Amino acid sequence: MKTYTAHITVTLRRAILDVQGKTVEHALHSLHMPQLTNIRIGKYVEMSVQAPDAETAMELADEACSKLLANPVMEDYAIRIEEHEGAAA
Amino acid sequence: MKTYTAHITVTLRRAILDVQGKTVEHALHSLHMPQLTNIRIGKYVEMSVQAPDAETAMELADEACSKLLANPVMEDYAIRIEEHEGAAA
């Protein structure tokens, strides 16, 4: 068993209006940063995954996303798996 | 002026208890996924940045984080700048 780190981002689908992003965009423009646009806000989840290989780690993280972390109707998610540095637990 | 995409993750500092992450961890274990641990939940922000070069884009995104998106006392942030695909606006 190895330890992997899964980095997951969950974002609203493009077709769905991101009101939180729009609000942040207005706030940034008020702070004199008009160069920043198209702001979309999502969730970021980081976790350790115990798995024999990277593929299994990816499957586990995917299952966590589809079952709990993301709403498949409104949200997309992306997963990046990374082998854990150091610690041979 | 080029268009860059900034991918920003804002996470609670390691020393701070992440209650939301703990709750998700319990939920995942209830869903029979005990392989997933050390869950930490943060924010993910994606934005378009108009800037002459990647360095300036990074500075702008950094300013947005320190002024608005992250709480420097409790949170860390990471920024990845990517040149925008296609569209020569």
Side-chain angles (χ1 to χ4, degrees):
Chain A
M1 279 299 184
K2 288 181 189 164
T3 304
Y4 295 87
T5 302
H7 303 268
I8 300 168
T9 54
V10 180
T11 45
L12 275 179
R13 294 189 170 225
R14 288 279 154 204
I16 295 176
L17 178 69
D18 183 346
V19 279
Q20 200 185 353
K22 279 282 166 214
T23 308
V24 168
E25 192 169 326
H26 284 299
L28 286 171
H29 293 185
S30 306
L31 290 170
H32 309 292
M33 289 184 263
Q35 305 93 330
L36 309 176
T37 52
N38 293 325
I39 296 168
R40 297 193 70 85
I41 297 193
K43 283 176 285 187
Y44 172 69
V45 184
E46 207 178 85
M47 57 177 72
S48 302
V49 185
Q50 295 285 334
D53 53 62
E55 202 177 307
T56 314
M58 177 58 104
E59 280 167 20
L60 278 162
D62 193 86
E63 195 182 342
C65 286
S66 61
K67 283 196 181 166
L68 185 75
L69 298 172
N71 170 351
V73 178
M74 295 174 61
E75 293 172 329
D76 287 320
Y77 58 86
I79 303 168
R80 185 165 59 81
I81 296 286
E82 179 180 78
E83 201 170 333
H84 197 65
E85 303 292 319
Chain B
M1 279 298 186
K2 287 182 192 166
T3 304
Y4 295 88
T5 303
H7 302 270
I8 300 168
T9 54
V10 180
T11 45
L12 276 177
R13 295 190 168 222
R14 288 279 153 204
I16 295 177
L17 178 69
D18 182 346
V19 279
Q20 200 186 355
K22 277 283 167 215
T23 308
V24 168
E25 191 167 328
H26 283 300
L28 287 170
H29 294 184
S30 307
L31 290 168
H32 309 293
M33 288 183 266
Q35 305 92 332
L36 309 176
T37 52
N38 293 326
I39 296 168
R40 297 192 70 85
I41 296 192
K43 283 177 285 187
Y44 172 68
V45 184
E46 207 178 85
M47 56 176 74
S48 301
V49 186
Q50 296 286 335
D53 53 61
E55 203 178 305
T56 314
M58 177 57 105
E59 280 167 19
L60 278 164
D62 192 85
E63 195 182 343
C65 286
S66 61
K67 283 196 180 166
L68 184 75
L69 298 170
N71 169 350
V73 179
M74 294 174 62
E75 292 171 329
D76 287 320
Y77 57 86
I79 303 169
R80 182 165 61 81
I81 295 286
E82 179 180 79
E83 202 170 333
H84 197 64
E85 303 291 320

PDB file of all heavy atoms in Angstrom, chain B residues 1-27:
ATOM      1  N   MET B   1      -1.291  42.943 -24.910  1.00  0.00           N
ATOM      2  CA  MET B   1      -1.987  42.289 -23.790  1.00  0.00           C
ATOM      3  C   MET B   1      -2.377  40.859 -24.147  1.00  0.00           C
ATOM      4  O   MET B   1      -2.966  40.602 -25.183  1.00  0.00           O
ATOM      5  CB  MET B   1      -3.280  43.058 -23.463  1.00  0.00           C
ATOM      6  CG  MET B   1      -3.069  44.278 -22.611  1.00  0.00           C
ATOM      7  SD  MET B   1      -2.370  43.869 -20.990  1.00  0.00           S
ATOM      8  CE  MET B   1      -2.437  45.498 -20.239  1.00  0.00           C
ATOM      9  N   LYS B   2      -2.060  39.966 -23.272  1.00  0.00           N
ATOM     10  CA  LYS B   2      -2.457  38.580 -23.468  1.00  0.00           C
ATOM     11  C   LYS B   2      -3.481  38.210 -22.399  1.00  0.00           C
ATOM     12  O   LYS B   2      -3.623  38.892 -21.386  1.00  0.00           O
ATOM     13  CB  LYS B   2      -1.252  37.657 -23.333  1.00  0.00           C
ATOM     14  CG  LYS B   2      -0.301  37.720 -24.513  1.00  0.00           C
ATOM     15  CD  LYS B   2       0.818  36.724 -24.279  1.00  0.00           C
ATOM     16  CE  LYS B   2       1.949  36.929 -25.268  1.00  0.00           C
ATOM     17  NZ  LYS B   2       3.136  36.187 -24.826  1.00  0.00           N
ATOM     18  N   THR B   3      -4.162  37.121 -22.651  1.00  0.00           N
ATOM     19  CA  THR B   3      -5.092  36.629 -21.645  1.00  0.00           C
ATOM     20  C   THR B   3      -4.516  35.380 -20.999  1.00  0.00           C
ATOM     21  O   THR B   3      -4.160  34.424 -21.694  1.00  0.00           O
ATOM     22  CB  THR B   3      -6.449  36.302 -22.297  1.00  0.00           C
ATOM     23  OG1 THR B   3      -6.915  37.474 -22.967  1.00  0.00           O
ATOM     24  CG2 THR B   3      -7.472  35.900 -21.241  1.00  0.00           C
ATOM     25  N   TYR B   4      -4.411  35.434 -19.694  1.00  0.00           N
ATOM     26  CA  TYR B   4      -3.943  34.270 -18.938  1.00  0.00           C
ATOM     27  C   TYR B   4      -5.085  33.744 -18.080  1.00  0.00           C
ATOM     28  O   TYR B   4      -6.024  34.486 -17.766  1.00  0.00           O
ATOM     29  CB  TYR B   4      -2.776  34.658 -18.031  1.00  0.00           C
ATOM     30  CG  TYR B   4      -1.559  35.083 -18.787  1.00  0.00           C
ATOM     31  CD1 TYR B   4      -1.384  36.405 -19.179  1.00  0.00           C
ATOM     32  CD2 TYR B   4      -0.571  34.167 -19.136  1.00  0.00           C
ATOM     33  CE1 TYR B   4      -0.265  36.811 -19.898  1.00  0.00           C
ATOM     34  CE2 TYR B   4       0.547  34.562 -19.853  1.00  0.00           C
ATOM     35  CZ  TYR B   4       0.696  35.881 -20.236  1.00  0.00           C
ATOM     36  OH  TYR B   4       1.798  36.263 -20.952  1.00  0.00           O
ATOM     37  N   THR B   5      -4.988  32.490 -17.718  1.00  0.00           N
ATOM     38  CA  THR B   5      -5.944  31.942 -16.756  1.00  0.00           C
ATOM     39  C   THR B   5      -5.192  31.679 -15.462  1.00  0.00           C
ATOM     40  O   THR B   5      -4.127  31.056 -15.483  1.00  0.00           O
ATOM     41  CB  THR B   5      -6.561  30.639 -17.286  1.00  0.00           C
ATOM     42  OG1 THR B   5      -7.176  30.908 -18.541  1.00  0.00           O
ATOM     43  CG2 THR B   5      -7.630  30.114 -16.335  1.00  0.00           C
ATOM     44  N   ALA B   6      -5.736  32.194 -14.367  1.00  0.00           N
ATOM     45  CA  ALA B   6      -5.125  31.940 -13.058  1.00  0.00           C
ATOM     46  C   ALA B   6      -5.961  30.911 -12.320  1.00  0.00           C
ATOM     47  O   ALA B   6      -7.182  31.036 -12.245  1.00  0.00           O
ATOM     48  CB  ALA B   6      -5.045  33.233 -12.265  1.00  0.00           C
ATOM     49  N   HIS B   7      -5.294  29.881 -11.839  1.00  0.00           N
ATOM     50  CA  HIS B   7      -5.960  28.859 -11.024  1.00  0.00           C
ATOM     51  C   HIS B   7      -5.457  29.048  -9.593  1.00  0.00           C
ATOM     52  O   HIS B   7      -4.254  28.913  -9.341  1.00  0.00           O
ATOM     53  CB  HIS B   7      -5.587  27.450 -11.491  1.00  0.00           C
ATOM     54  CG  HIS B   7      -5.922  27.199 -12.926  1.00  0.00           C
ATOM     55  ND1 HIS B   7      -7.126  26.688 -13.324  1.00  0.00           N
ATOM     56  CD2 HIS B   7      -5.213  27.419 -14.061  1.00  0.00           C
ATOM     57  CE1 HIS B   7      -7.138  26.579 -14.647  1.00  0.00           C
ATOM     58  NE2 HIS B   7      -5.993  27.009 -15.128  1.00  0.00           N
ATOM     59  N   ILE B   8      -6.360  29.358  -8.703  1.00  0.00           N
ATOM     60  CA  ILE B   8      -5.965  29.687  -7.334  1.00  0.00           C
ATOM     61  C   ILE B   8      -6.600  28.702  -6.364  1.00  0.00           C
ATOM     62  O   ILE B   8      -7.801  28.441  -6.448  1.00  0.00           O
ATOM     63  CB  ILE B   8      -6.421  31.118  -6.990  1.00  0.00           C
ATOM     64  CG1 ILE B   8      -5.777  32.111  -7.964  1.00  0.00           C
ATOM     65  CG2 ILE B   8      -6.110  31.469  -5.544  1.00  0.00           C
ATOM     66  CD1 ILE B   8      -6.375  33.495  -7.897  1.00  0.00           C
ATOM     67  N   THR B   9      -5.804  28.169  -5.462  1.00  0.00           N
ATOM     68  CA  THR B   9      -6.385  27.357  -4.384  1.00  0.00           C
ATOM     69  C   THR B   9      -6.070  28.038  -3.062  1.00  0.00           C
ATOM     70  O   THR B   9      -4.946  28.475  -2.826  1.00  0.00           O
ATOM     71  CB  THR B   9      -5.834  25.920  -4.353  1.00  0.00           C
ATOM     72  OG1 THR B   9      -4.420  25.978  -4.294  1.00  0.00           O
ATOM     73  CG2 THR B   9      -6.243  25.144  -5.585  1.00  0.00           C
ATOM     74  N   VAL B  10      -7.087  28.136  -2.242  1.00  0.00           N
ATOM     75  CA  VAL B  10      -6.937  28.755  -0.921  1.00  0.00           C
ATOM     76  C   VAL B  10      -7.255  27.678   0.110  1.00  0.00           C
ATOM     77  O   VAL B  10      -8.339  27.096   0.087  1.00  0.00           O
ATOM     78  CB  VAL B  10      -7.913  29.940  -0.757  1.00  0.00           C
ATOM     79  CG1 VAL B  10      -7.745  30.577   0.610  1.00  0.00           C
ATOM     80  CG2 VAL B  10      -7.702  30.973  -1.857  1.00  0.00           C
ATOM     81  N   THR B  11      -6.306  27.391   0.979  1.00  0.00           N
ATOM     82  CA  THR B  11      -6.532  26.337   1.983  1.00  0.00           C
ATOM     83  C   THR B  11      -6.231  26.863   3.377  1.00  0.00           C
ATOM     84  O   THR B  11      -5.408  27.767   3.543  1.00  0.00           O
ATOM     85  CB  THR B  11      -5.603  25.129   1.716  1.00  0.00           C
ATOM     86  OG1 THR B  11      -4.285  25.632   1.440  1.00  0.00           O
ATOM     87  CG2 THR B  11      -6.075  24.316   0.547  1.00  0.00           C
ATOM     88  N   LEU B  12      -6.876  26.277   4.348  1.00  0.00           N
ATOM     89  CA  LEU B  12      -6.580  26.614   5.738  1.00  0.00           C
ATOM     90  C   LEU B  12      -5.153  26.194   6.053  1.00  0.00           C
ATOM     91  O   LEU B  12      -4.687  25.171   5.563  1.00  0.00           O
ATOM     92  CB  LEU B  12      -7.516  25.844   6.673  1.00  0.00           C
ATOM     93  CG  LEU B  12      -8.886  26.438   6.927  1.00  0.00           C
ATOM     94  CD1 LEU B  12      -9.670  25.488   7.818  1.00  0.00           C
ATOM     95  CD2 LEU B  12      -8.793  27.794   7.593  1.00  0.00           C
ATOM     96  N   ARG B  13      -4.472  26.955   6.888  1.00  0.00           N
ATOM     97  CA  ARG B  13      -3.122  26.567   7.293  1.00  0.00           C
ATOM     98  C   ARG B  13      -3.165  25.236   8.028  1.00  0.00           C
ATOM     99  O   ARG B  13      -4.124  24.930   8.712  1.00  0.00           O
ATOM    100  CB  ARG B  13      -2.522  27.631   8.207  1.00  0.00           C
ATOM    101  CG  ARG B  13      -2.345  28.922   7.463  1.00  0.00           C
ATOM    102  CD  ARG B  13      -1.547  29.937   8.219  1.00  0.00           C
ATOM    103  NE  ARG B  13      -1.230  30.974   7.253  1.00  0.00           N
ATOM    104  CZ  ARG B  13      -0.055  31.567   7.151  1.00  0.00           C
ATOM    105  NH1 ARG B  13       0.896  31.277   7.996  1.00  0.00           N
ATOM    106  NH2 ARG B  13       0.161  32.458   6.213  1.00  0.00           N
ATOM    107  N   ARG B  14      -2.078  24.479   7.859  1.00  0.00           N
ATOM    108  CA  ARG B  14      -1.978  23.140   8.446  1.00  0.00           C
ATOM    109  C   ARG B  14      -2.296  23.131   9.942  1.00  0.00           C
ATOM    110  O   ARG B  14      -2.870  22.185  10.461  1.00  0.00           O
ATOM    111  CB  ARG B  14      -0.554  22.585   8.263  1.00  0.00           C
ATOM    112  CG  ARG B  14      -0.233  22.207   6.841  1.00  0.00           C
ATOM    113  CD  ARG B  14      -0.787  20.836   6.470  1.00  0.00           C
ATOM    114  NE  ARG B  14      -1.022  20.781   5.031  1.00  0.00           N
ATOM    115  CZ  ARG B  14      -1.879  19.972   4.447  1.00  0.00           C
ATOM    116  NH1 ARG B  14      -2.610  19.132   5.154  1.00  0.00           N
ATOM    117  NH2 ARG B  14      -2.054  19.996   3.146  1.00  0.00           N
ATOM    118  N   ALA B  15      -1.876  24.174  10.640  1.00  0.00           N
ATOM    119  CA  ALA B  15      -2.017  24.181  12.102  1.00  0.00           C
ATOM    120  C   ALA B  15      -3.462  24.365  12.542  1.00  0.00           C
ATOM    121  O   ALA B  15      -3.788  24.155  13.708  1.00  0.00           O
ATOM    122  CB  ALA B  15      -1.155  25.289  12.682  1.00  0.00           C
ATOM    123  N   ILE B  16      -4.324  24.754  11.616  1.00  0.00           N
ATOM    124  CA  ILE B  16      -5.706  25.069  11.981  1.00  0.00           C
ATOM    125  C   ILE B  16      -6.612  23.876  11.701  1.00  0.00           C
ATOM    126  O   ILE B  16      -6.562  23.288  10.621  1.00  0.00           O
ATOM    127  CB  ILE B  16      -6.166  26.327  11.215  1.00  0.00           C
ATOM    128  CG1 ILE B  16      -5.335  27.518  11.693  1.00  0.00           C
ATOM    129  CG2 ILE B  16      -7.655  26.586  11.418  1.00  0.00           C
ATOM    130  CD1 ILE B  16      -5.620  28.805  10.987  1.00  0.00           C
ATOM    131  N   LEU B  17      -7.416  23.531  12.689  1.00  0.00           N
ATOM    132  CA  LEU B  17      -8.325  22.395  12.552  1.00  0.00           C
ATOM    133  C   LEU B  17      -9.350  22.674  11.453  1.00  0.00           C
ATOM    134  O   LEU B  17     -10.004  23.716  11.448  1.00  0.00           O
ATOM    135  CB  LEU B  17      -9.050  22.165  13.882  1.00  0.00           C
ATOM    136  CG  LEU B  17     -10.085  21.031  13.871  1.00  0.00           C
ATOM    137  CD1 LEU B  17      -9.400  19.682  13.751  1.00  0.00           C
ATOM    138  CD2 LEU B  17     -10.935  21.078  15.123  1.00  0.00           C
ATOM    139  N   ASP B  18      -9.463  21.733  10.527  1.00  0.00           N
ATOM    140  CA  ASP B  18     -10.413  21.890   9.430  1.00  0.00           C
ATOM    141  C   ASP B  18     -11.661  21.052   9.747  1.00  0.00           C
ATOM    142  O   ASP B  18     -11.726  19.870   9.435  1.00  0.00           O
ATOM    143  CB  ASP B  18      -9.749  21.432   8.133  1.00  0.00           C
ATOM    144  CG  ASP B  18     -10.651  21.613   6.929  1.00  0.00           C
ATOM    145  OD1 ASP B  18     -11.861  21.840   7.113  1.00  0.00           O
ATOM    146  OD2 ASP B  18     -10.134  21.521   5.801  1.00  0.00           O
ATOM    147  N   VAL B  19     -12.630  21.672  10.390  1.00  0.00           N
ATOM    148  CA  VAL B  19     -13.818  20.927  10.822  1.00  0.00           C
ATOM    149  C   VAL B  19     -14.635  20.414   9.643  1.00  0.00           C
ATOM    150  O   VAL B  19     -15.185  19.315   9.683  1.00  0.00           O
ATOM    151  CB  VAL B  19     -14.751  21.761  11.745  1.00  0.00           C
ATOM    152  CG1 VAL B  19     -14.216  21.754  13.159  1.00  0.00           C
ATOM    153  CG2 VAL B  19     -14.919  23.172  11.252  1.00  0.00           C
ATOM    154  N   GLN B  20     -14.682  21.207   8.575  1.00  0.00           N
ATOM    155  CA  GLN B  20     -15.423  20.786   7.383  1.00  0.00           C
ATOM    156  C   GLN B  20     -14.774  19.527   6.787  1.00  0.00           C
ATOM    157  O   GLN B  20     -15.457  18.571   6.430  1.00  0.00           O
ATOM    158  CB  GLN B  20     -15.412  21.943   6.373  1.00  0.00           C
ATOM    159  CG  GLN B  20     -16.486  21.858   5.336  1.00  0.00           C
ATOM    160  CD  GLN B  20     -16.350  22.961   4.271  1.00  0.00           C
ATOM    161  OE1 GLN B  20     -15.501  23.850   4.372  1.00  0.00           O
ATOM    162  NE2 GLN B  20     -17.177  22.899   3.251  1.00  0.00           N
ATOM    163  N   GLY B  21     -13.454  19.534   6.733  1.00  0.00           N
ATOM    164  CA  GLY B  21     -12.729  18.369   6.240  1.00  0.00           C
ATOM    165  C   GLY B  21     -12.965  17.140   7.109  1.00  0.00           C
ATOM    166  O   GLY B  21     -13.173  16.039   6.605  1.00  0.00           O
ATOM    167  N   LYS B  22     -12.955  17.330   8.436  1.00  0.00           N
ATOM    168  CA  LYS B  22     -13.196  16.219   9.369  1.00  0.00           C
ATOM    169  C   LYS B  22     -14.590  15.627   9.129  1.00  0.00           C
ATOM    170  O   LYS B  22     -14.774  14.410   9.157  1.00  0.00           O
ATOM    171  CB  LYS B  22     -13.117  16.727  10.818  1.00  0.00           C
ATOM    172  CG  LYS B  22     -11.706  16.815  11.340  1.00  0.00           C
ATOM    173  CD  LYS B  22     -11.145  15.443  11.712  1.00  0.00           C
ATOM    174  CE  LYS B  22      -9.645  15.506  11.931  1.00  0.00           C
ATOM    175  NZ  LYS B  22      -8.948  14.298  11.491  1.00  0.00           N
ATOM    176  N   THR B  23     -15.559  16.503   8.916  1.00  0.00           N
ATOM    177  CA  THR B  23     -16.937  16.061   8.692  1.00  0.00           C
ATOM    178  C   THR B  23     -17.031  15.229   7.411  1.00  0.00           C
ATOM    179  O   THR B  23     -17.659  14.160   7.393  1.00  0.00           O
ATOM    180  CB  THR B  23     -17.872  17.279   8.595  1.00  0.00           C
ATOM    181  OG1 THR B  23     -17.652  18.097   9.738  1.00  0.00           O
ATOM    182  CG2 THR B  23     -19.318  16.861   8.536  1.00  0.00           C
ATOM    183  N   VAL B  24     -16.388  15.716   6.356  1.00  0.00           N
ATOM    184  CA  VAL B  24     -16.386  14.984   5.087  1.00  0.00           C
ATOM    185  C   VAL B  24     -15.683  13.640   5.268  1.00  0.00           C
ATOM    186  O   VAL B  24     -16.128  12.617   4.741  1.00  0.00           O
ATOM    187  CB  VAL B  24     -15.720  15.833   3.977  1.00  0.00           C
ATOM    188  CG1 VAL B  24     -15.439  14.999   2.745  1.00  0.00           C
ATOM    189  CG2 VAL B  24     -16.599  17.015   3.616  1.00  0.00           C
ATOM    190  N   GLU B  25     -14.617  13.629   6.053  1.00  0.00           N
ATOM    191  CA  GLU B  25     -13.882  12.388   6.294  1.00  0.00           C
ATOM    192  C   GLU B  25     -14.784  11.353   6.974  1.00  0.00           C
ATOM    193  O   GLU B  25     -14.841  10.190   6.553  1.00  0.00           O
ATOM    194  CB  GLU B  25     -12.652  12.687   7.160  1.00  0.00           C
ATOM    195  CG  GLU B  25     -11.695  11.513   7.248  1.00  0.00           C
ATOM    196  CD  GLU B  25     -10.350  11.909   7.842  1.00  0.00           C
ATOM    197  OE1 GLU B  25      -9.891  13.059   7.643  1.00  0.00           O
ATOM    198  OE2 GLU B  25      -9.748  11.063   8.524  1.00  0.00           O
ATOM    199  N   HIS B  26     -15.535  11.788   7.986  1.00  0.00           N
ATOM    200  CA  HIS B  26     -16.470  10.876   8.651  1.00  0.00           C
ATOM    201  C   HIS B  26     -17.513  10.358   7.656  1.00  0.00           C
ATOM    202  O   HIS B  26     -17.837   9.166   7.655  1.00  0.00           O
ATOM    203  CB  HIS B  26     -17.185  11.589   9.807  1.00  0.00           C
ATOM    204  CG  HIS B  26     -16.322  11.741  11.012  1.00  0.00           C
ATOM    205  ND1 HIS B  26     -15.770  10.670  11.683  1.00  0.00           N
ATOM    206  CD2 HIS B  26     -15.877  12.844  11.667  1.00  0.00           C
ATOM    207  CE1 HIS B  26     -15.033  11.112  12.702  1.00  0.00           C
ATOM    208  NE2 HIS B  26     -15.076  12.439  12.703  1.00  0.00           N
ATOM    209  N   ALA B  27     -18.016  11.252   6.828  1.00  0.00           N
ATOM    210  CA  ALA B  27     -19.030  10.861   5.846  1.00  0.00           C
ATOM    211  C   ALA B  27     -18.472   9.832   4.869  1.00  0.00           C
ATOM    212  O   ALA B  27     -19.134   8.837   4.557  1.00  0.00           O
ATOM    213  CB  ALA B  27     -19.526  12.091   5.086  1.00  0.00           C
TER     214      ALA B  27
END
